[in-house]
Amino acid sequence: MSDITADDTSGSGARKSHSLVVTLSAATLIQIVATASVLALTAIAPTVAADLGIGAYLIGYQISLIYASGMFSSAVAGTLVKRLGPVRVEQLALACFLLGFVGIAMAQVLPIIVASLLIGIGYGLNNPASSEMLGRITPHGKRNIVFSIKQSGVPLGGILASFAFPFLSRQMDWQYALLIGAAAPLATMVLLAATHVTEPIDRSVPMGSMMKGFRDEQGIIWKNGKLRSLSFLGFAYSATQLSLSAFAVVTLVHDGGWSLLAAGSVAAIMQFFGAFGRIFWGVVADRLGGGFKTLALLGLLIGVGFASLFFVVHMPAWLQVGVLIMLGMTTIGWNGVLLAEVAHNAPEGRIGAITGGVLVYTFIGVIVGPSSFASLYMVTGHYGASFLVFSLLGFFGMIAAWRSHRAARV
């Protein structure tokens, strides 16, 4: 964090640095709350399913419902950010998380469905709004580390949900555990209101223009080669990220011969290194002076790592862990660099809108990736073979990012 404030410590520069630290802290906290809201039910799915008399496997559909809802809210977030301002949109997102916790705690299927849709809406609104807030005040040379610190809230939120809700559910009914969880978005709303002033509503931007805004944003993206490349990278890398998160444990158990407890511990370590990777790759990108160069390197490492899992049966245990740690750092670590590059290439005053437009493709990757991986396994009967096919997404991402990097130098 000291790197962020080191360059300018006097006069208006000091005030701007202070504003950046406060805004980055708030944005990171909101990201932690957002991810914990998405994953809260997954952490206690067996207990909830038993109480409701349904199969625990249905949690997969709940996650898909959240991300599908998030994809649509991300698509129209640009118009909302322009009309309401990014702070109000973040407050709206936090309100969705709050209502989502309350809805799931009602312990009935229909309210859980509605609550999942609300959580997805909030999740889709969060990144465009926070990118707008950060993009306005982040110095060019620090954008990768700033956005990567903010995105480290994703694995941190996952770790929080994985530990907090099972622990609370052992101390009390799971419904009360979720109501305690609802205090997090509520407290964050209060903190955001205390540290950030909302902008006047821009009534010249009609609410009914959301779909027109989406079409305009997509038109800008598809006319800009770098934004097109970033959209593909978001799709490809998110597909690898969610597929690895979904199938790492089962691959270690089925192909590697690990116990479930040991494999789960490795997955937790992988998530921890994913949080570290988000900050690490942000530093690397700023040091290299190019987000696309770093995204190309990430694609190469993802491709090599996924391809190596084809041979997981023949690897010693220490090498299996080493490969998964490297993949945790890469498949989970790319997001901040990509968002920083989107902010850099977005037209003036449209960072939030273009971020929402690009993230549509990231959400598609999240939805399509794990189901496609599962379909490949049904055909091949081999998790390693599915990882081998998915390695192509990493290699294609490497090529796309490197071409964009070379084009930027011309």
Side-chain angles (χ1 to χ4, degrees):
M1 188 74 77
S2 61
D3 286 347
I4 297 172
T5 60
D7 283 359
D8 195 344
T9 58
S10 62
S12 62
R15 289 191 293 273
K16 184 174 182 179
S17 294
H18 174 73
S19 175
L20 176 57
V21 171
V22 171
T23 300
L24 176 57
S25 300
T28 305
L29 177 60
I30 294 169
Q31 188 65 68
I32 292 172
V33 171
T35 305
S37 302
V38 169
L39 298 178
L41 192 55
T42 67
I44 53 174
T47 301
V48 176
D51 274 8
L52 299 182
I54 59 177
Y57 68 91
L58 291 173
I59 190 65
Y61 293 100
Q62 190 251 358
I63 291 296
S64 294
L65 188 64
I66 287 175
Y67 281 110
S69 174
M71 178 181 69
F72 285 105
S73 65
S74 180
V76 300
T79 299
L80 289 175
V81 169
K82 285 194 293 183
R83 179 179 171 86
L84 303 178
V87 175
R88 274 199 188 85
V89 173
E90 286 284 34
Q91 291 171 334
L92 178 60
L94 289 164
C96 288
F97 301 142
L98 171 61
L99 294 173
F101 274 115
V102 173
I104 296 174
M106 293 176 69
Q108 296 179 22
V109 173
L110 183 57
I112 289 175
I113 292 173
V114 175
S116 300
L117 290 170
L118 286 171
I119 290 172
I121 289 171
Y123 200 75
L125 294 176
N126 171 46
N127 270 319
S130 61
S131 290
E132 184 71 30
M133 290 168 61
L134 290 171
R136 292 176 178 180
I137 59 175
T138 302
H140 173 81
K142 294 186 174 69
R143 67 178 187 274
N144 288 291
I145 182 60
V146 165
F147 278 79
S148 294
I149 289 173
K150 195 274 288 187
Q151 285 302 108
S152 70
V154 174
L156 291 176
I159 293 170
L160 175 64
S162 298
F163 284 104
F165 292 108
F167 173 78
L168 290 171
S169 296
R170 283 196 294 269
Q171 312 303 316
M172 62 190 74
D173 288 343
W174 62 267
Q175 295 98 317
Y176 293 118
L178 290 174
L179 290 176
I180 290 175
L186 179 61
T188 307
M189 288 175 68
V190 173
L191 178 65
L192 187 64
T195 56
H196 290 77
V197 178
T198 56
E199 300 173 1
I201 295 176
D202 186 354
R203 302 189 185 279
S204 67
V205 180
M207 294 295 289
S209 66
M210 286 189 288
M211 290 312 300
K212 180 180 182 300
F214 171 68
R215 289 193 299 269
D216 291 344
E217 290 147 18
Q218 292 301 311
I220 292 171
I221 290 168
W222 284 96
K223 290 175 183 176
N224 185 307
K226 294 179 184 177
L227 293 174
R228 284 200 310 271
S229 178
L230 290 165
S231 297
F232 170 73
L233 291 169
F235 167 81
Y237 291 177
S238 66
T240 63
Q241 177 183 338
L242 267 292
S243 296
L244 180 69
S245 296
F247 292 98
V249 170
V250 71
T251 299
L252 287 176
V253 172
H254 186 272
D255 291 354
W258 291 63
S259 70
L260 181 61
L261 179 59
S265 299
V266 173
I269 293 171
M270 186 180 71
Q271 291 291 330
F272 173 80
F273 275 91
F276 169 76
R278 294 202 172 194
I279 299 174
F280 173 79
W281 293 115
V283 173
V284 169
D286 283 333
R287 293 290 187 268
L288 292 178
F292 277 115
K293 191 187 299 185
T294 305
L295 290 167
L297 175 59
L298 283 164
L300 173 62
L301 293 174
I302 291 170
V304 170
F306 268 47
S308 70
L309 290 177
F310 181 78
F311 305 100
V312 70
V313 175
H314 307 292
M315 292 180 182
W318 65 266
L319 184 56
Q320 293 175 16
V321 174
V323 170
L324 287 173
I325 286 176
M326 184 273 285
L327 285 172
M329 284 189 64
T330 52
T331 63
I332 301 173
W334 55 272
N335 311 63
V337 178
L338 182 133
L339 289 177
E341 204 61 39
V342 172
H344 176 60
N345 288 283
E348 183 71 26
R350 304 204 66 176
I351 293 174
I354 298 302
T355 298
V358 169
L359 285 177
V360 168
Y361 302 96
T362 300
F363 279 110
I364 293 173
V366 167
I367 296 168
V368 170
S371 58
S372 299
F373 192 100
S375 298
L376 281 170
Y377 176 76
M378 291 175 64
V379 172
T380 63
H382 190 281
Y383 289 109
S386 301
F387 277 114
L388 181 62
V389 173
F390 262 58
S391 71
L392 295 175
L393 291 173
F395 291 129
F396 287 149
M398 174 194 69
I399 294 169
W402 187 253
R403 290 181 63 184
S404 294
H405 168 68
R406 293 292 299 272
R409 297 176 60 190
V410 174

